[in-house]
Amino acid sequence: MEEKIKVNALTFYYNTKAAICGITLPMYKNTVTALIGPSGCGKSTFIRCINRMNDIIPNTSVDGEILIDGVNIYEPRYDVTGLRRRVGMVFQKSNPFPKSIFENIAYGLKINGVRNRYDIEGIVENSLKSTALWDEVKDRLNESALGLSGGQQQRLCIARTIAVQPEIILMDEPASALDPISTMKIEELIQDLKHNYTIVIVTHNMQQAARVSDYTAFFYMGELIELNKTETIFTKPEKKMTENYITGKFG
């Protein structure tokens, strides 16, 4: 399989404290990789390294490298703005802009230089259809996005992310604040999206990891304990610690 992302010996420091330690792992094109592990084990810090969002935190530093399509994104002259166009992010709490449903999606297009109204309308419609939201909102596009339900807001944020055509989508516990029906819709959406995108998802819900991902990485205390196909991780893990975590003996 083709590696989309390759992480080599990545260590991330807050001041002098290492939050993640020497992590090496591949992530493959058009697959879903789930990151599991107890709270505070470095999962969110790790995915924020992939689009360099940690750069904005003072007194942090990185050792090692992350290659996307074979190019190290931590090279001194790497285009970070371009990186964030290629690597979209969906957060735990849905964060729609206080604008109309239409403008939530059109905003990113306009920032990226799309000016033609016809093109924008087409991309907005396609993005909403891709997230199974079009039929629910097509008659209210000029209404505030803040009037949507929590699950609809989260799907709108995913639509906003894919409108600018990233290659990679990072998801940090995207369904943790949602009800079971909305969660199911998000999980079905992830399965659809992986045909066009490479997806990395942080989840505290192991059943969710088992349902949506192709590969699962188990993190503990800033270290990668085990990475394997999801089916193997959940049925025949190689490490005792992984087995103990998955069976609820700690965490």
Side-chain angles (χ1 to χ4, degrees):
M1 294 184 75
E2 182 182 344
E3 286 181 2
K4 182 69 178 176
I5 307 167
K6 175 65 176 173
V7 181
N8 290 322
L10 186 77
T11 300
F12 180 83
Y13 299 93
Y14 292 104
N15 292 311
T16 56
K17 183 179 184 300
I20 50 176
C21 313
I23 289 178
T24 294
L25 78 162
M27 286 170 268
Y28 300 103
K29 188 174 182 179
N30 300 121
T31 63
V32 180
T33 301
L35 311 182
I36 64 170
S39 295
C41 68
K43 306 183 299 292
S44 293
T45 297
F46 174 76
I47 66 162
R48 290 166 69 96
C49 289
I50 300 173
N51 65 352
R52 290 186 54 175
M53 277 197 67
N54 290 325
D55 287 15
I56 62 177
I57 303 170
N59 304 315
T60 59
S61 58
V62 175
D63 286 337
E65 58 184 16
I66 297 178
L67 308 177
I68 297 180
D69 294 334
V71 179
N72 181 14
I73 66 170
Y74 281 93
E75 287 286 340
R77 295 186 179 180
Y78 197 87
D79 175 11
V80 179
T81 304
L83 171 70
R84 292 181 187 144
R85 277 198 292 269
R86 296 175 66 198
V87 184
M89 181 115 187
V90 177
F91 296 92
Q92 179 173 358
K93 190 175 185 311
S94 58
N95 58 340
F97 303 138
K99 297 173 178 285
S100 71
I101 294 167
F102 183 92
E103 280 300 325
N104 259 270
I105 297 174
Y107 182 75
L109 298 171
K110 292 172 182 174
I111 283 181
N112 284 302
V114 182
R115 293 281 177 267
N116 184 296
R117 176 79 185 181
Y118 181 78
D119 290 343
I120 290 172
E121 287 176 353
I123 294 169
V124 168
E125 180 174 339
N126 287 336
S127 300
L128 290 169
K129 283 179 174 173
S130 295
T131 53
L133 202 50
W134 175 251
D135 288 339
E136 297 171 35
V137 303
K138 63 184 178 185
D139 299 323
R140 353 171 3 197
L141 294 177
N142 294 320
E143 296 177 19
S144 171
L146 302 180
L148 296 173
S149 71
Q152 287 174 323
Q153 287 188 11
Q154 192 64 299
R155 282 186 286 147
L156 179 69
C157 292
I158 296 171
R160 188 175 71 195
T161 298
I162 65 178
V164 295
Q165 297 184 306
E167 299 160 34
I168 296 162
I169 301 176
L170 309 176
M171 296 184 168
D172 194 353
E173 302 206 13
S176 65
L178 303 181
D179 61 86
I181 291 173
S182 296
T183 296
M184 184 179 73
K185 287 183 176 178
I186 296 287
E187 290 180 2
E188 289 172 351
L189 177 55
I190 290 168
Q191 289 297 298
D192 290 340
L193 290 175
K194 78 174 183 183
H195 298 297
N196 296 309
Y197 307 94
T198 301
I199 298 174
V200 186
I201 177 172
V202 168
T203 178
H204 68 282
N205 182 328
M206 282 183 283
Q207 290 81 11
Q208 182 172 79
R211 287 191 297 263
V212 305
S213 68
D214 303 290
Y215 292 86
T216 296
F218 170 49
F219 281 54
Y220 185 69
M221 300 288 285
E223 296 186 3
L224 174 65
I225 305 301
E226 187 168 351
L227 168 73
N228 214 321
K229 289 186 174 178
T230 294
E231 184 181 359
T232 303
I233 288 279
F234 283 97
T235 57
K236 290 186 294 187
E238 294 175 359
K239 302 283 177 65
K240 188 69 179 172
M241 186 185 284
T242 310
E243 182 184 329
N244 288 343
Y245 180 70
I246 284 168
T247 55
K249 291 184 178 154
F250 76 98

